[in-house]
Amino acid sequence: MVHAIRIHEHGGPEVLRWDEIEVGEPGPGQVRIRQTAVGLNYIDTYHRSGAYKLPDLPAVIGMAGSGVVEALGPDVTTLKVGDRVGYAMSIGAYAESRLIAADRLVPLPSWLDEQATAATLLQGLTAQYLLRSTYVVQPGDTILVQAAAGGVGLLLCSWARHLGATVIGTVGSEEKAELAKAHGCHHTIDYTREDFVARVKELTDGKGVPVVYDGVGKTTFIKGLDCLRPRGLMVLFGAASGAPAPLDLGLLAAKGSLYVTRPTLATYTAKREDLMASAADLFDAVKNGGVTFTVNQRFALKDTADAHRALESRATTGSTVLVP
Ligand code: NDP
């Protein structure tokens, strides 16, 4: 038996329970890992609240972690007991130990810290596909990142700057502005006090940006369309403030033949080769100094409810690790 954080019903942070569960032996294609660290991601709050409903309860939630392989399924030949591995987008992470499909695991280079990787892998792979695939950021681009001091936000800022872009980032406080700047953001806008559309227009000489990366959603999405230059791309990748209202497609014509996409990491890493290529690109960007893994909060796994409260009240910056 091991400890895990499970939900028995959807709801607030109080539904996160510290339960004992049986993990069992790995089946075909699976391994069991002893987890040394678990990542906290915004999607965990959607699974908890029911914004994303789970079909079978009780369930262990959490999507990312890292640890050490401790048992192999009968046919698994690509890994061995003792290997250090990490993963993202595999539900069931909030546990001391878990079963997982071997083809979802990324071997960790020896120089990567397991806690930092668990906390940042999902967010790092997200920054990778957003900057390198959804819209390919070019040197000389000026881009807008919403919630620039968050987990994904800081990674987007540092990586986009490394790619030669000028980064404008929105933030919820002066401290967050300083942090975003320290991670590569050239211009910050406190969108709780300032009109971010007017500031983006000012900073781009009225032209607008080619791409907006928006993980905030409800409070920023429609206004963000006004920050785009003609034929610009709105990348709505999350809904920290809630889901935006349905979009009238006519607006895209009226505002300059705009594009909108609502991507998810699951699609971009569904094939093993895509997952491995994305991870290799991320690890390379970290090793060569362009991107930093910033873990600013640590909670014991049993205190995950406190971590959810902090994340949802905008009290966190960068990434957060849960320690089993
Ligand atoms: P963050 O660390 O960015 O936390 C969310 C931030 O959003 C807050 O710190 C806050 O920053 C800002 N925010 C603005 N309004 C609100 C609000 N009403 N309530 C709470 N937060 C608010 O989280 P993550 O880095 O984990 O995730 C960022 C976004 O990316 C999320 O929407 C998540 O779902 C999405 N995501 C999407 C993926 C995909 O593939 N589609 C994959 C990974 C993440 P401030 O105070 O500065 O405004």
Side-chain angles (χ1 to χ4, degrees):
M1 300 292 273
V2 301
H3 281 104
I5 291 280
R6 285 201 300 186
I7 59 165
H8 296 247
E9 60 193 331
H10 291 296
E14 69 284 354
V15 302
L16 297 165
R17 286 207 223 158
W18 187 235
D19 286 348
E20 277 198 311
I21 61 161
E22 184 127 25
V23 178
E25 293 305 314
Q30 287 186 321
V31 302
R32 190 174 68 231
I33 57 176
R34 179 176 52 77
Q35 303 210 109
T36 48
V38 173
L40 177 71
N41 289 285
Y42 221 92
I43 190 172
D44 306 346
T45 70
Y46 309 148
H47 285 142
R48 189 211 69 221
S49 69
Y52 293 175
K53 287 241 177 317
L54 297 177
D56 297 312
L57 297 180
V60 180
I61 63 168
M63 300 295 272
S66 62
V68 177
V69 174
E70 61 174 15
L72 303 171
D75 55 348
V76 175
T77 54
T78 50
L79 291 163
K80 57 185 190 317
V81 170
D83 281 352
R84 296 165 75 237
V85 290
Y87 63 90
M89 295 306 268
S90 292
I91 199 161
Y94 285 0
E96 293 169 327
S97 172
R98 70 167 297 178
L99 301 177
I100 186 165
D103 68 359
R104 291 287 88 200
L105 293 173
V106 177
L108 299 186
S110 56
W111 53 270
L112 263 185
D113 176 80
E114 278 168 35
Q115 280 200 1
T117 308
T120 53
L121 187 59
L122 192 152
Q123 296 162 344
L125 294 173
T126 301
Q128 196 280 336
Y129 84 77
L130 292 176
L131 297 172
R132 310 274 272 164
S133 210
T134 306
Y135 173 87
V136 181
V137 170
Q138 303 290 337
D141 278 347
T142 298
I143 69 168
L144 175 62
V145 174
Q146 305 282 20
V152 179
L154 288 184
L155 290 155
L156 287 173
C157 289
S158 56
W159 204 336
R161 185 182 186 121
H162 190 63
L163 294 171
T166 298
V167 185
I168 306 174
T170 56
V171 290
S173 69
E174 187 49 43
E175 298 72 41
K176 289 183 178 186
E178 292 309 314
L179 186 70
K181 281 191 185 136
H183 285 79
C185 192
H186 295 81
H187 308 281
T188 55
I189 306 171
D190 184 341
Y191 54 4
T192 62
R193 296 190 296 115
E194 292 175 83
D195 175 356
F196 72 81
V197 178
R199 281 283 288 136
V200 168
K201 287 280 166 64
E202 197 179 292
L203 288 165
T204 58
D205 296 326
K207 294 192 189 83
V209 293
V211 63
V212 174
Y213 292 110
D214 185 355
V216 174
K218 190 172 184 174
T219 56
T220 49
F221 173 71
I222 287 290
K223 282 194 258 175
L225 297 176
D226 289 325
C227 296
L228 287 166
R229 73 181 186 198
R231 293 160 59 186
L233 174 64
M234 166 61 71
V235 183
L236 176 71
F237 66 96
S241 69
L247 176 66
D248 169 6
L249 292 180
L251 271 183
L252 301 182
K255 291 182 185 290
S257 303
L258 303 180
Y259 297 85
V260 175
T261 182
R262 176 57 177 93
T264 161
L265 178 61
T267 322
Y268 281 82
T269 54
K271 290 190 199 142
R272 170 114 187 120
E273 60 263 37
D274 291 340
L275 171 65
M276 294 304 285
S278 183
D281 194 26
L282 172 65
F283 296 161
D284 182 61
V286 174
K287 193 167 189 184
N288 293 316
V291 176
T292 38
F293 283 173
T294 309
V295 184
N296 282 353
Q297 296 77 216
R298 285 187 163 73
F299 292 84
L301 181 60
K302 69 174 171 38
D303 297 329
T304 297
D306 292 337
H308 276 224
R309 286 187 192 99
L311 184 62
E312 291 179 291
S313 64
R314 303 166 78 163
T316 64
T317 54
S319 303
T320 303
V321 68
L322 307 169
V323 185

